[in-house]
Amino acid sequence: MSLNTRLLFALLGFPLLVYAMMAILLMVQSDTAERAALHERLKDAGELLTPSFQLAMADADFQRMERLSRRLLDRYGLSSVSLFDEQGNRLFVLGRSTPPQLRLTAPSAPLIEEEEHIWRLLVPLDSVLPNINPTGVGWLEAEANARPLTLERYKLLASLSLGGMLLGLLLFLGAFAVSRYISRPIEEANQALYRLSRGDYRLQLTPARPSELRQLAVHVNSLAEHFQQSQRDMQTQIEQATSELQESMETIEEQNIKLDLAHRSALRANAVKSEFLANMSHEIRTPLNGIIGFCRLLSRSRLDNRQQGWLEHVHRACDNLLMLVNDVLDFSKLEANRLTLEEVDIDIVSLLDEVIGLHAPEAQRKHLHLVAMIYDDVPTPLSGDPLRIHQVLSNLVGNALKFTHEGDVIVRVMLDTQEGQHVVLRISVSDTGIGLSEEHQKQLFSAFSQAKPSHSRQFGGSGLGLSICRQLIERMGGTISVESEVGHGSTFSFTLPLLANQSGERPAELTLKSPVVRLYETHTPTRNTLEYLLERWGAIPVAFTANEPEDLLMLCLDQDEFEIERRDYWRDLIEQAACPVLILANTTSYDLPPWELPHGGEMLCKPFTRAQLVTTLRHLLQPADKEIASAQSKAPPPTDPSVIDILIVDDNASNRELLKALLETDQLRITLADSGHEALALAVNYTADMVLMDIRMPGMDGVETSQALRRINNHWSRCPIIAVTAHALSSERQQWLAAGLDDVLIKPVDEAQLQQLLLRFLAVPPSLPTVTSTATLQRKDTTEFASEALAAVDLTMGTQLAGGKESVAYAQLIRLIDSLDETETQMRAAYAQKNLAMLLDWVHGLNGASRYCGAPELALLVETLETRLRTSGLSHVESLLEALYTAMARLRTHRSRLADGANAPE
């Protein structure tokens, strides 16, 4: 409430309140006095005229009664006068009277009855005079109108109200003048302060007469002068600060220019560093590939046990170094945020089988149980990045195998949550290895760190694997954690958000007609997994000690079971069983003893994939299913079910012939195709059980051909396709596996790896070829070619590469030499035109052709050249090309001598 309002209320309210109270008191007193006067007048009138009315009533003198009544009306201002006899009958009435009240007896004494607007005077007319006998003669009723009293009261109220209004107006004018006199200086001071707050310091107040307001004006003026002085001082300081700031800005601008130059220099340095890192990684890969090539060549030469052990150490060190280079490159991509994730369909079972198959040799070497458990509620297919999921799983499984010396490694894939199309998988890798302390777990996912500093020396590795896994999982929207205890193993778990657009529950891969399977497995997780899978597929697993007839005997044997003292027990048991026998051995295929299975059966090496187990059980328990499935897929069944068809697709004739020579047996039937188009033409009316696919072919390459084959029908969509190439970087291998190929085989084809692939995908037991021993290999002219580590010709190595077939080795080498002229001409022309693609095609073709021949010098040089071309392009390859041309010329000089060897009898 403002000061003016308060002054108005104070100056107006109190006087008006006093006036109102006095007016109310005056009205009450006036009304009371007038009522009392009317009462006295009626009382006096009755007392004065009563004797006269008594006489008139006694004499029945109505004229006198009328005269007295008129006198009473005129003198006392009554409205009516009525006379009643003692029975209550009205005898006389004068004036306007209200209807009489019913009264039977006269009042005993004079009384006045007051109603709303009528006052009645009732006076008894008793004969109490001396001359009259005391008899009751009636009573007198006189009425007086009380309305004039109310009218007088209203007149008084109106007068008082008018006086109050006049008084209020006068008071308002006086209060307004007083408030203006008091508040105007305050308002002027307020306005001055407002202008001061806005920066206007020029206003000066005029001092008022009251001392208080005069002091306020003086103080406001002093404040304005102080502000003016402060403003002048501040302006001076601002000008000085501006001058200094301009000097500072000039200095900062110079510093910014220097910083910009430094930033550009840092960017250039970072680019140079990245380029240096890429070039160095590629340069490191180049000698590494050479060292690995040397190791492969040396492993095929005559070495004693100690030299072979040294060579294995060198090969293992090279593999560790190559893994370190790959980890550094992946880590650099993640740090630079240049890693892109794909969204393609994923089959978790196939992806996990691929990881298990990749790490199977290490598990077999250490005799560990590697088990994969995929719960049935995991939908399929899912959408994600299979390459990165494969990389994470491979790293976790590899670490588990590395740090586990005995026991098992178990991979579990289960459904965590599912909301609509969004699925979250929980994948864990458990081992029984050395374990981790809580302190080591905190730093485990940091870059370049391992649990202990000694682990990098004892187990190898860069310390980047888990850091890369963590970053990959976080990029995919998941989290990773570890639970471990020293000496009791570790469990790495991570969540994996994926999309399930059109996925459903995984159907059963096999439908059996309730066969009884007698199972022997001492490893509890493996036994539980096998029992669950058998029950899911319709079989009835029973304990090994059960005494009931079985349709299949399944024996899961560890390395200890193959000892001589226990081998006879299992042989006797197999001979006594009247059913097929499936042996699941926790060892390599080369360590399997040559057991006979009189009632049929097969042998698989653990860890096995689900697809291998399904194929084996179908073969043992449903021998006709393969022909039925072929008929359902509208593909003609093979003429002989026992023969396995293998399709070899390669644009190089030498490579096709050599692979055919290595594989062709009574059980394996080989079909050749020299291009992807020819393979597709064959696939229309032909089905194969496995395809060996060359990757780099003119026209349609191996990846495109594989994807086209899988779209033909159901059989081809399930057919194992193995990439065969002379050169593959780690990233290229992952891309091919993600594109749908099942595995990668590097030229020259290692016969052991080839046998392992046949066992893994086709359940074909290994058949080691017999190397032909001829006198030709002992001749001086042949041995002198192999006397040097990098000889131009090494027929011993060529014979081994040709599966022990000496004539094939001679023919392959002569065919290679005959193609060198055209190859060199095309390579020189491509390099002269700076045509990298054309040069790579011819170098890759020469690399693939030399991998199967006894030409170690040429093979090493062309492999190094291809690596350099794929990593660095055409820069820094001129010296390698010249060395390659020299090696080609040196190889041509042996043409005639090799032709003589080729004509030797087989």
Side-chain angles (χ1 to χ4, degrees), residues 87 132 209 264 269 487 502 536 576 651:
Q87 285 80 23
I132 301 175
R209 291 181 180 179
R264 294 181 182 181
Q502 298 179 351
R536 173 176 169 80
Q576 294 173 5
D651 62 320

Side-chain angles (χ1 to χ4, degrees), residues 204-453:
Q204 294 293 323
L205 292 179
T206 302
R209 291 181 180 179
S211 60
E212 295 84 358
L213 298 179
R214 184 182 300 110
Q215 291 178 0
L216 176 62
V218 170
H219 291 160
V220 171
N221 293 336
S222 299
L223 182 62
E225 293 177 358
H226 175 71
F227 280 163
Q228 285 180 351
Q229 184 63 34
S230 299
Q231 187 180 30
R232 287 192 293 267
D233 295 340
M234 183 176 64
Q235 185 66 31
T236 303
Q237 294 177 0
I238 289 174
E239 292 175 356
Q240 183 179 359
T242 303
S243 176
E244 296 176 355
L245 183 60
Q246 287 177 352
E247 296 178 359
S248 301
M249 288 296 294
E250 293 176 358
T251 305
I252 292 174
E253 186 175 358
E254 294 178 359
Q255 294 294 331
N256 285 337
I257 294 173
K258 294 179 180 179
L259 287 175
D260 185 60
L261 294 176
H263 177 67
R264 294 181 182 181
S265 177
L267 290 177
R268 287 194 298 268
N270 187 37
V272 171
K273 183 264 296 180
S274 301
E275 183 178 358
F276 172 78
L277 179 61
N279 291 335
M280 284 304 299
S281 63
H282 295 154
E283 292 297 330
I284 291 173
R285 275 201 183 104
T286 300
L288 273 179
N289 288 331
I291 295 172
I292 293 172
F294 274 118
C295 292
R296 290 177 179 175
L297 295 175
L298 287 174
S299 65
R300 297 186 178 96
S301 62
R302 297 183 181 89
L303 300 175
D304 55 28
N305 294 334
R306 184 176 60 174
Q307 293 172 334
Q308 190 69 33
W310 292 346
L311 186 61
E312 291 178 358
H313 285 297
V314 174
H315 200 282
R316 190 175 301 113
C318 292
D319 290 338
N320 290 335
L321 184 56
L322 188 60
M323 180 181 65
L324 171 61
V325 173
N326 293 333
D327 287 346
V328 170
L329 283 179
D330 286 340
F331 185 76
S332 300
K333 289 181 181 179
L334 288 169
E335 290 295 323
N337 199 20
R338 293 183 179 179
L339 189 70
T340 57
L341 299 177
E342 296 182 349
E343 290 290 340
V344 297
D345 288 343
I346 304 173
D347 185 356
I348 293 295
V349 172
S350 301
L351 189 145
L352 189 57
D353 283 349
E354 183 181 324
V355 174
I356 295 300
L358 184 64
H359 293 277
E362 181 65 14
Q364 294 168 355
R365 185 182 68 83
K366 302 178 75 171
H367 305 296
L368 300 175
H369 293 279
L370 180 56
V371 184
M373 299 181 181
I374 302 178
Y375 290 66
D376 289 336
D377 58 354
V378 176
T380 185
L382 299 172
S383 181
D385 192 334
L387 176 63
R388 299 307 170 186
I389 300 174
H390 184 283
Q391 184 177 354
V392 173
L393 280 174
S394 181
N395 187 281
L396 295 180
V397 174
N399 286 343
L401 293 173
K402 182 191 301 184
F403 297 105
T404 304
H405 302 292
E406 61 180 7
D408 54 42
V409 175
I410 302 177
V411 184
R412 295 179 175 89
V413 181
M414 61 196 77
L415 180 63
D416 192 4
T417 59
Q418 181 173 5
E419 297 180 0
Q421 297 181 355
H422 297 277
V423 174
V424 178
L425 299 185
R426 178 168 294 277
I427 303 176
S428 63
V429 179
S430 305
D431 62 67
T432 57
I434 60 178
L436 297 166
S437 64
E438 293 184 2
E439 181 181 357
H440 294 150
Q441 293 178 31
K442 295 178 181 178
Q443 60 184 6
L444 190 62
F445 294 101
S446 301
F448 301 101
S449 65
Q450 292 190 342
K452 293 182 180 180

Side-chain angles (χ1 to χ4, degrees), residues 648-704:
I648 298 174
V649 185
D650 199 317
D651 62 320
N652 189 291
S654 301
N655 296 347
R656 295 196 302 271
E657 294 297 333
L658 183 56
L659 283 174
K660 180 179 180 180
L662 289 174
L663 290 173
E664 193 168 31
T665 62
D666 294 337
Q667 188 180 2
L668 302 178
R669 180 168 53 202
I670 310 301
T671 303
L672 304 178
D674 60 4
S675 66
H677 297 287
E678 184 177 353
L680 292 177
L682 287 173
V684 176
N685 298 314
Y686 164 78
T687 56
D689 299 294
M690 177 184 281
V691 179
L692 298 180
M693 179 70 67
D694 185 25
I695 290 297
R696 295 180 175 89
M697 295 184 295
M700 181 180 290
D701 62 17
V703 176
E704 295 174 347

Side-chain angles (χ1 to χ4, degrees), residues 111 135 208 214 240 277 287 476 539 697 719 757 791 873:
L111 62 87
T135 56
R214 184 182 300 110
Q240 183 179 359
L277 179 61
M476 291 185 285
M697 295 184 295
C719 179
L757 288 174

